[in-house]
Amino acid sequence: MEIQHFSHHHPLVFIQDHSVASKAALCLGCDKPVEGWSYGCNQCEFYLHKGCAELELAPEIQHPFHPKHPLTLLTNSNRFPLRCDLCGKRFGGICYRCFDSNFDLQINCALLQASIAANFPKSLHPHPLHFIQNPNKEVEPDCHGCQKPISGPFYHCSDCTYPTLFNLQKECAALPLEINHPCDRKHPLTLLPQPPTHPQKCSCYLCRMQWKGFVYSCSLCNFDLSLDDFLFSPPTITVASHEHPWMLVSRKMSFVRDFCGTGGDHSPYHFHTCVVFVHKNCISLPRHIMITRHRHTISLSYSLRQIQVEDWVCKICYEEVDINYGYYRCPASRCRYIAHVRCATDKEIWDGKIMPEGYYERSEEGVDEPWNLITDVVEQIRIGELMVASEIKHSYHDHNLRLTFSGKTKDDDSQCDGCTRPISTPFYSCEQCKFFLHKDCAELPKEMPHPFHKHLLTLSNLHEYDYSWCSACHRLYQGFWYRCYKRDCVFQFDIQCMLLSDTLKRPSHEHSLVLVHNSEGTSCSACFKKLFSWDVAYRCMKRCDFSLDVGCATLPLTAWYKYDRHPLTLTFSDDSEPSQHYCDLCEKEREPNRWFYYCADCDNSLHLNCAVGDLPYVKLGSKMNNYSHKHPFTVVKTIWNCPPCKVCGEVCNGQALECKESECNFTVHWDCRRDLR
């Protein structure tokens, strides 16, 4: 049985039981794991739950969560993560969208039933609220009050959209508006929807952690209590990791926490026999965890005084480690990896899984394990003392591939089908068809961890719409790619970005750079692009005011220009006369402090994008379907006698899209394709 679904260009075949399939998959409708009955296109690895595929959803609806404009049903064709304006989570499947205000609702949220909430205190929120009695189990927005995931009935404000979402679980909405608390016996505490502005930086009295949700506050005493501590701070706490119970000290104390090494003047938990003080959250810290920044399990240690390491530097943030307090370290005998507690348990680095006692190796990282290989060796040759596979059978190609160590391909413009870079030796090739793989790309493992993401990533070569978008550099790409198949994750990375590590050394800066997951408030020092909280980027290890986004971190050091016989070099500053600050390709002005490509012999200068092109990771000659045009486009490299773009009228230098159909016969820039009429 087949159906033709609007979200996919191939027919979808009914699958009786997807759970018996050899490979896990996500539903492209709701982004949840596919099990049981489903529809799928095995050629494109496109799958839909039977329920998602057969939902009789109207193409346009009026939804109470966005009453201003109608919402249109569409598929996120580029698979570039969108963010739902109800739950705030990223998703990549079918959704409802308002094109007037860029309002998006993923399917799970669009199906929620809501009613107008009456008699809600205006002091807690000024807008009308919708009460959602039976939310989907998959929809778990964070509560604005307690900052925790919502698991039951909640209130939602349709006037507040990302990044100022307002969702409040029923329990927090029922909190008393005024309480008496033993930590401030003089005055009652009033419930406020956000921390008040005090002369000093506001934080919770008990835990002194900065708090974004509801607080109980006394303006006369400048006293604030977070909901977390009001609801979940018992007088004593007993945990299996420590032999004594922890007791709450309800007075201000100046001390450093023995578990995490951070200080403050607030109420800790302690046990007088051990003379140990800890944050409440640190009491339940896991003993053993696994992070993608390191191949072994790392373990919590209360003191590193007896450990011999080369330097006392956290291998995540590269700030100094105080050896008198607790940190995570690698217990392997020859490994000297250490990290701050807060760095190792950051939600972007640790997936929350606790490792059992005695588990030290990342067994799933075994690149050489048979289950993790995508090639079979057909023939070997000896080179010196090494045995090298001279002929292989690759999982992503029908024919055997032969290894070449020298010489060029028949087509000098040939590109690797794995990383899309120009072919260089050594490489594997198919004698029957035009298929090339660099040796490194042919040996990529099926699954591997990467510091960009906290989950294990899986290799694929299939693209739902002929191409995909990289979650790291935000470039369009073809060829091989790695994707996360965990629930609620839509992260995917091209091979160029997967080759990066957690540290980077570039000639543009004297110090090494370190990977960071939250770059909000900074800009790339190369292209000046503003960075957001969800962007991974690199910053100076020595805390210079220098940052690089991943796109600029992967720029090649040299590029070619059609009117120059020399390679152009990536250049980081320009002290020439202002009249010389122009790009020789597009003839537009350059900013002197932005990176550019330059040939000193011929005095040619190019913008970064003019040198590398709009589609640096796309194969020339490949076909690309696009909703803006009825015919498929061909990716071409226009060098001589460049035609003008059909949309903007400017010359299509470098890479462009071409429609060769007789009734069309035009060329268009990639960025202009959406404006085709």
Side-chain angles (χ1 to χ4, degrees):
M1 181 171 61
E2 293 184 354
I3 63 171
Q4 185 63 57
H5 199 269
F6 80 95
S7 63
H8 193 63
H9 49 282
H10 295 145
L12 303 182
V13 179
F14 179 69
I15 300 173
Q16 181 73 26
D17 188 0
H18 195 96
S19 62
V20 301
S22 59
K23 184 176 181 179
L26 295 182
C27 171
L28 273 299
C30 63
D31 270 348
K32 306 304 174 188
V34 177
E35 296 179 354
W37 290 358
S38 62
Y39 287 93
C41 173
N42 290 324
Q43 176 184 349
C44 302
E45 292 186 354
F46 182 99
Y47 302 100
L48 289 172
H49 290 121
K50 183 176 183 294
C52 290
E54 296 178 350
L55 280 175
E56 295 182 0
L57 299 174
E60 186 173 282
I61 62 171
Q62 287 292 145
H63 202 284
F65 295 157
H66 190 70
K68 300 177 183 177
H69 309 108
L71 302 181
T72 303
L73 183 67
L74 79 159
T75 180
N76 183 11
S77 59
N78 291 333
R79 297 294 297 159
F80 187 78
L82 300 175
R83 192 180 292 274
C84 177
D85 284 286
L86 184 139
C87 66
K89 291 185 177 180
R90 296 184 190 178
F91 67 94
I94 300 170
C95 69
Y96 277 105
R97 158 162 281 204
C98 171
F99 292 98
D100 293 325
S101 55
N102 289 331
F103 178 90
D104 297 300
L105 274 181
Q106 62 167 311
I107 290 298
N108 295 313
C109 292
L111 296 177
L112 292 175
Q113 301 296 318
S115 59
I116 298 296
N119 302 321
F120 191 87
K122 292 293 184 182
S123 62
L124 296 183
H125 196 69
H127 304 143
L129 298 179
H130 297 279
F131 180 64
I132 301 172
Q133 177 66 41
N134 298 309
N136 302 339
K137 292 182 179 179
E138 296 87 353
V139 180
E140 299 174 354
D142 288 341
C143 174
H144 186 88
C146 65
Q147 305 290 292
K148 298 181 182 298
I150 294 174
S151 58
F154 68 99
Y155 294 87
H156 169 70
C157 177
S158 60
D159 292 314
C160 297
T161 57
Y162 185 83
T164 58
L165 293 173
F166 186 89
N167 294 303
L168 191 68
Q169 63 181 340
K170 184 179 179 181
E171 291 77 8
C172 290
L175 287 170
L177 300 181
E178 191 174 273
I179 64 168
N180 292 303
H181 197 274
C183 289
D184 187 359
R185 301 177 184 276
K186 298 179 181 178
H187 314 104
L189 305 180
T190 303
L191 183 64
L192 300 180
Q194 59 186 8
T197 302
H198 293 321
Q200 297 179 345
K201 198 171 184 179
C202 178
S203 55
C204 178
Y205 174 87
L206 286 183
C207 70
R208 272 303 186 259
M209 303 292 286
Q210 298 302 309
W211 186 256
K212 296 181 181 179
F214 287 6
V215 294
Y216 279 102
S217 176
C218 175
S219 59
L220 298 175
C221 302
N222 287 350
F223 176 92
D224 303 298
L225 192 67
S226 71
L227 292 195
D228 194 36
D229 282 289
F230 167 67
L231 297 171
F232 308 111
S233 288
T236 62
I237 297 178
T238 302
V239 292
S241 61
H242 194 74
E243 57 184 316
H244 309 128
W246 299 93
M247 295 182 294
L248 178 65
V249 180
S250 296
R251 65 179 184 277
K252 288 188 177 181
M253 298 182 64
S254 210
F255 67 97
V256 177
R257 275 15 140 254
D258 293 274
F259 275 25
C260 66
T262 57
D265 57 343
H266 55 279
S267 300
Y269 280 90
H270 89 296
F271 189 80
H272 60 85
T273 302
C274 304
V275 196
V276 173
F277 296 91
V278 296
H279 290 120
K280 181 193 66 178
N281 293 337
C282 293
I283 292 175
S284 56
L285 281 171
R287 292 292 303 275
H288 309 290
I289 63 174
M290 180 74 78
I291 59 176
T292 55
R293 298 293 187 94
H294 190 61
R295 66 168 285 115
H296 303 134
T297 302
I298 55 176
S299 303
L300 182 64
S301 177
Y302 301 152
S303 174
L304 300 183
R305 296 177 183 176
Q306 306 301 320
I307 307 300
Q308 299 298 318
V309 296
E310 296 177 2
D311 54 58
W312 302 106
V313 174
C314 173
K315 302 305 181 184
I316 297 176
C317 71
Y318 284 86
E319 292 186 359
E320 185 178 358
V321 170
D322 189 336
I323 64 174
N324 294 302
Y325 303 101
Y327 295 90
Y328 280 95
R329 66 178 180 87
C330 180
S333 59
R334 296 184 179 181
C335 193
R336 299 293 182 260
Y337 189 93
I338 59 174
H340 292 124
V341 165
R342 289 190 178 179
C343 291
T345 56
D346 185 279
K347 65 179 182 178
E348 300 294 339
I349 293 175
W350 177 48
D351 63 1
K353 184 178 179 181
I354 300 175
M355 308 308 297
E357 293 286 342
Y359 183 93
Y360 297 122
E361 298 292 333
R362 184 189 290 276
S363 59
E364 64 265 29
E365 189 182 314
V367 173
D368 297 327
E369 294 294 329
W371 66 267
N372 206 26
L373 300 178
I374 56 174
T375 60
D376 292 323
V377 177
V378 178
E379 183 179 302
Q380 289 183 311
I381 59 173
R382 182 178 294 277
I383 300 179
E385 297 182 355
L386 297 177
M387 293 298 294
V388 178
S390 59
E391 184 175 349
I392 62 172
K393 178 65 179 71
H394 197 276
S395 299
Y396 295 161
H397 192 67
D398 294 334
H399 309 127
N400 289 358
L401 306 177
R402 301 237 14 130
L403 182 64
T404 301
F405 282 99
S406 61
K408 291 187 175 182
T409 66
K410 295 179 181 179
D411 184 355
D412 290 341
D413 289 331
S414 295
Q415 294 170 268
C416 172
D417 284 271
C419 64
T420 70
R421 292 176 296 175
I423 280 293
S424 59
T425 56
F427 65 91
Y428 288 96
S429 62
C430 176
E431 297 179 353
Q432 302 181 47
C433 51
K434 194 175 179 180
F435 184 87
F436 304 98
L437 275 184
H438 287 128
K439 185 173 182 294
D440 291 342
C441 292
E443 296 172 350
L444 288 169
K446 182 187 298 183
E447 292 182 338
M448 67 177 292
H450 196 274
F452 282 172
H453 192 58
K454 60 186 176 182
H455 299 136
L456 202 65
L457 301 172
T458 302
L459 182 68
S460 177
N461 72 324
L462 298 177
H463 300 268
E464 180 189 347
Y465 287 89
D466 308 315
Y467 54 85
S468 299
W469 290 93
C470 178
S471 299
C473 68
H474 306 305
R475 287 193 182 112
L476 178 147
Y477 64 91
Q478 293 177 324
F480 295 174
W481 52 297
Y482 280 91
R483 177 181 176 178
C484 177
Y485 282 93
K486 290 288 185 180
R487 180 175 177 175
D488 295 328
C489 277
V490 288
F491 290 93
Q492 52 197 36
F493 305 107
D494 60 49
I495 298 301
Q496 305 289 344
C497 292
M498 287 295 292
L499 296 176
L500 295 173
S501 66
D502 57 347
T503 59
L504 185 69
K505 183 62 180 175
R506 298 287 281 180
S508 57
H509 193 67
E510 60 180 324
H511 304 136
S512 295
L513 306 177
V514 59
L515 181 69
V516 292
H517 285 274
N518 188 341
S519 305
E520 189 171 13
T522 61
S523 298
C524 176
S525 301
C527 65
F528 296 176
K529 184 181 73 174
K530 182 180 178 181
L531 300 176
F532 298 96
S533 60
W534 56 83
D535 286 324
V536 289
Y538 288 88
R539 73 176 184 193
C540 176
M541 193 179 292
K542 301 295 183 181
R543 301 303 183 268
C544 298
D545 188 18
F546 185 88
S547 299
L548 273 186
D549 64 25
V550 177
C552 291
T554 53
L555 285 171
L557 296 180
T558 58
W560 290 92
Y561 174 42
K562 63 182 179 181
Y563 295 122
D564 200 319
R565 58 182 177 177
H566 311 109
L568 278 67
T569 304
L570 183 61
T571 308
F572 315 114
S573 62
D574 190 356
D575 55 2
S576 60
E577 294 294 326
S579 60
Q580 302 298 316
H581 295 164
Y582 284 88
C583 174
D584 288 292
L585 183 61
C586 69
E587 299 182 351
K588 294 181 180 179
E589 190 174 359
R590 291 187 298 103
E591 292 190 36
N593 294 324
R594 292 194 183 191
W595 290 9
F596 65 104
Y597 283 92
Y598 180 64
C599 175
D601 295 325
C602 304
D603 194 28
N604 284 322
S605 303
L606 268 69
H607 289 123
L608 297 178
N609 198 60
C610 289
V612 300
D614 294 329
L615 308 169
Y617 301 149
V618 173
K619 290 199 67 176
L620 296 176
S622 61
K623 301 291 184 180
M624 300 177 66
N625 292 292
N626 197 277
Y627 68 88
S628 60
H629 191 62
K630 59 183 178 180
H631 303 135
F633 290 119
T634 302
V635 181
V636 296
K637 187 176 183 180
T638 53
I639 298 180
W640 309 108
N641 300 320
C642 303
C645 173
K646 181 177 176 62
V647 174
C648 69
E650 295 189 10
V651 174
C652 287
N653 283 303
Q655 295 159 312
L657 302 178
E658 185 178 65
C659 181
K660 295 185 177 181
E661 296 295 328
S662 57
E663 68 265 35
C664 296
N665 194 26
F666 66 81
T667 304
V668 64
H669 292 120
W670 167 258
D671 288 337
C672 294
R673 75 196 189 284
R674 297 187 182 91
D675 297 325
L676 284 171
R677 294 291 184 268

